[in-house]
Amino acid sequence: MSKINAIITGVAGYVPDYVLNNEELSRMVDTNDEWITTRTGIKERRILTEEGLGTSYMARKAAKLLMTKTGADPDSIDAVVVATTTPDYPHPSTASIVLGKLGLKNAFAFDLAAACCGFMYALDVACNMIQSGRHKRIIVIGADKMSAITDYRDRATCPLFGDGAGAVMLEGTTEEGVGMIDSYHRTDGKGLPFLHIKAGGSVCPSSSFTIDHRLHYTYQEGRTVFRYAVTAMGEDCATLLERNGLTQDDVDYVVCHQANLRIIEAVAKRIGVPMEKVLVNIQRYGNTSAACMPLVLWDFESQLKKGDNIIFTGFGAGFVNGASYFKWAYDGDAAAVKK
């Protein structure tokens, strides 16, 4: 039998309508547009404000658009994988809710939790499922409602995060030299003290004390995370390029986790790739965690050409990090639609 390669055949996304810009944020906490922009590169972020709506709503919106764009028969979907750090509920899985709302009858669904590397890790898992030959079509979604775990009294973290979802269609092909070529992922395991949410899990269950002391929001030690992120992503990309015989000139685009523009620029410098090859939309959405990478693909789909060498790289709580090498499988200008 011919080798099966896993390729992305479509991209879609969803961001809420409400725009929280730096000016409005400065009326909520002691900050200003210049401070935020110079330190993060973020000008605005989207916030899901409607009561009773969570991550699954955005994920479903992205997946529905994806199915419309690709013309995929709902009965042909084998699996739905949702990468998220903000599930609707502790259980059931957010993916199962998305599957049910989409009316997929022949698929199974599960969540994958790897913080800001969630989409990249989920993509790797789904690619292996396709390459096994047991699955033919999988929807991979990165979605997070970061506003739900953001403390809008904390000027150090609240400018960073936004809400959104992105989705890709993953399919199998016997065409050679396209799709997922290689990945190099690592978990440090020492990141707990520097990036975490203290309460709400089994170690520190929710209580009146945890709520009163605002322990259900993201805590980040920014300088430590910055240093680890730049070093890890730079090394991961360098390793991936070396073992695949690629030089910086061979890279067409880098899809980097959108945490901080300074981090993105530092990673690009470390691997010797000019910023014009690094796809950036952090100024519009901020850090949407697992949604960052698919939202970048959604925004820049029209630029992508068949045969492009694309490097994904990310870093997140844990610490988790890594890089993936994709050979793009279609001309995006023909598939892209106006949002």
Side-chain angles (χ1 to χ4, degrees):
M1 294 180 62
S2 301
K3 177 185 176 182
I4 299 174
N5 292 321
I7 60 172
I8 293 173
T9 58
V11 181
Y14 173 82
V15 290
D17 292 332
Y18 183 77
V19 178
L20 176 59
N21 60 31
N22 290 345
E23 182 182 354
E24 183 178 355
L25 197 62
S26 69
R27 298 196 293 268
M28 301 165 60
V29 68
D30 182 19
T31 189
N32 57 68
D33 176 68
E34 182 183 6
W35 191 92
I36 296 171
T37 303
T38 56
R39 287 164 175 79
T40 70
I42 301 168
K43 300 294 289 185
E44 58 187 38
R45 65 290 293 149
R46 301 298 184 97
I47 305 296
L48 185 63
T49 57
E50 291 84 352
E51 187 176 351
L53 297 182
T55 297
S56 70
Y57 173 80
M58 298 185 291
R60 173 171 60 87
K61 285 281 192 177
K64 189 172 182 179
L65 175 59
L66 177 69
M67 294 174 66
T68 299
K69 284 180 62 177
T70 59
D73 179 355
D75 291 342
S76 72
I77 307 299
D78 296 317
V80 176
V81 185
V82 174
T84 186
T85 195
T86 56
D88 285 17
Y89 309 99
H91 60 76
S93 70
T94 299
S96 69
I97 299 171
V98 173
L99 179 149
K101 292 290 186 179
L102 292 175
L104 307 182
K105 295 180 171 54
N106 297 319
F108 72 102
F110 63 93
D111 289 356
L112 189 150
C116 296
C117 280
F119 175 78
M120 187 171 62
Y121 283 19
L123 193 60
D124 197 62
V125 170
C127 281
N128 280 279
M129 292 168 63
I130 293 288
Q131 290 166 348
S132 75
R134 296 173 61 188
H135 311 281
K136 295 181 179 179
R137 182 173 282 165
I138 299 174
I139 295 175
V140 182
I141 305 169
D144 271 305
K145 185 182 177 182
M146 295 302 292
S147 62
I149 56 172
T150 297
D151 185 354
Y152 288 97
R153 298 183 188 179
D154 179 9
R155 71 189 296 263
T157 59
C158 72
L160 302 176
F161 300 108
D163 304 336
V168 301
M169 190 71 73
L170 204 64
E171 300 187 57
T173 181
T174 56
E175 182 180 353
E176 296 181 0
V178 291
M180 168 69 86
I181 305 299
D182 194 12
S183 62
Y184 178 71
H185 298 150
R186 297 184 294 166
T187 300
D188 182 276
K190 299 177 182 177
L192 174 62
F194 311 110
L195 184 52
H196 63 262
I197 297 174
K198 184 166 288 185
S202 59
V203 169
C204 185
S206 302
S207 66
S208 57
F209 176 87
T210 65
I211 294 172
D212 291 344
H213 287 78
R214 306 181 69 79
L215 302 181
H216 294 264
Y217 298 117
T218 297
Y219 166 82
Q220 176 175 265
E221 190 174 303
R223 291 184 179 180
T224 301
V225 173
F226 187 105
R227 185 175 67 253
Y228 267 87
V230 172
T231 301
M233 287 193 285
E235 291 179 352
D236 295 344
C237 288
T239 298
L240 197 64
L241 294 178
E242 182 180 359
R243 75 184 195 182
N244 286 279
L246 300 175
T247 69
Q248 295 89 338
D249 294 337
D250 295 319
V251 176
D252 291 293
Y253 294 108
V254 176
V255 177
C256 192
H257 171 55
Q258 307 289 297
N260 183 304
L261 184 58
R262 288 181 172 180
I263 292 177
I264 296 170
E265 290 172 339
V267 171
K269 184 176 180 180
R270 271 181 170 258
I271 62 177
V273 174
M275 279 301 294
E276 53 263 32
K277 289 187 175 184
V278 182
L279 304 181
V280 177
N281 63 4
I282 190 173
Q283 69 277 7
R284 299 176 58 207
Y285 305 135
N287 181 352
T288 55
S289 193
C292 282
M293 292 185 189
L295 282 176
V296 167
L297 293 177
W298 184 45
D299 272 359
F300 291 95
E301 182 185 21
S302 62
Q303 292 184 203
L304 307 180
K305 302 296 182 184
K306 183 173 182 177
D308 280 349
N309 290 320
I310 299 178
I311 302 297
F312 294 84
T313 187
F315 180 89
F319 291 127
V320 294
N321 53 277
S324 299
Y325 167 32
F326 259 77
K327 179 81 75 169
W328 201 249
Y330 67 95
D331 290 333
D333 55 355
V337 295
K338 291 185 178 181
K339 303 176 183 62

